[in-house]
Amino acid sequence: MKYTSQNADNLPRFVPNGDYLVTVIEASETLSKAGDDMIKLKLEVEGHGVHLYDYLVATEASFWKIDTFRKAIGDRVVEGEEVELAAAALEGRQGHARLRIEEYQGKKSNKVELWITDRVPTATLKATPPATAQAQPEVDDDVPF
């Protein structure tokens, strides 16, 4: 195979500030620097080939962010419900995020400013069963109405 080499540093590293559809292309369970459970998300900006990372940390101060991310990817979020979030189940999921540009050591990259919950892609909607099953009322099939 022959090809012409390109400098990988010239590939796009960021998109302009704005709202984008992103896909979780990798998700891994790890620990934060403080030792808390964390899911590291590798995201791809649809149609741009740009990759960025976001982190879901299991601390009470960050539960709002996890809930917002879950809503953005189409999960049903119920206040007070205990949730077991598996990294592997997040791969391939899509949601809209507001991205901003940050510069670190002279290089620009995108960061998730916020997850957008009012534009859930219909392809990612996931039916989440209720935490506890509700008893269904009995139906009398002989009632004529």
Side-chain angles (χ1 to χ4, degrees):
M1 170 174 89
K2 291 184 181 183
Y3 79 103
T4 302
S5 178
Q6 295 183 2
N7 184 345
D9 290 336
N10 291 331
L11 296 176
R13 296 179 157 256
F14 62 92
V15 292
N17 292 343
D19 297 350
Y20 295 90
L21 177 63
V22 298
T23 301
V24 178
I25 58 172
E26 290 178 22
S28 58
E29 296 180 24
T30 185
L31 295 176
S32 70
K33 290 178 183 177
D36 297 304
D37 287 336
M38 177 175 78
I39 294 179
K40 179 180 179 181
L41 302 171
K42 182 176 182 181
L43 307 168
E44 181 173 26
V45 181
E46 286 298 306
H48 297 277
V50 171
H51 295 147
L52 65 143
Y53 293 90
D54 198 26
Y55 305 88
L56 306 175
V57 183
T59 63
E60 193 166 339
S62 295
F63 288 168
W64 68 269
K65 181 179 178 181
I66 299 169
D67 285 345
T68 305
F69 165 76
R70 290 183 53 227
K71 285 180 185 179
I73 64 170
D75 281 356
R76 186 171 64 93
V77 176
V78 178
E79 187 174 347
E81 179 180 46
E82 287 190 23
V83 178
E84 181 68 33
L85 195 58
L90 301 176
E91 292 182 1
R93 304 291 298 275
Q94 292 184 314
H96 285 89
R98 179 157 301 140
L99 305 181
R100 69 174 186 269
I101 299 171
E102 287 191 353
E103 191 169 334
Y104 178 71
Q105 296 181 346
K107 293 188 179 185
K108 293 181 180 180
S109 63
N110 288 117
K111 299 293 179 202
V112 173
E113 184 173 329
L114 62 90
W115 288 97
I116 301 168
T117 60
D118 62 352
R119 284 191 268 162
V120 178
T122 55
T124 67
L125 290 176
K126 179 180 174 187
T128 306
T132 57
Q134 299 289 326
Q136 297 296 318
E138 288 187 31
V139 177
D140 185 353
D141 291 331
D142 292 331
V143 177
F145 60 123

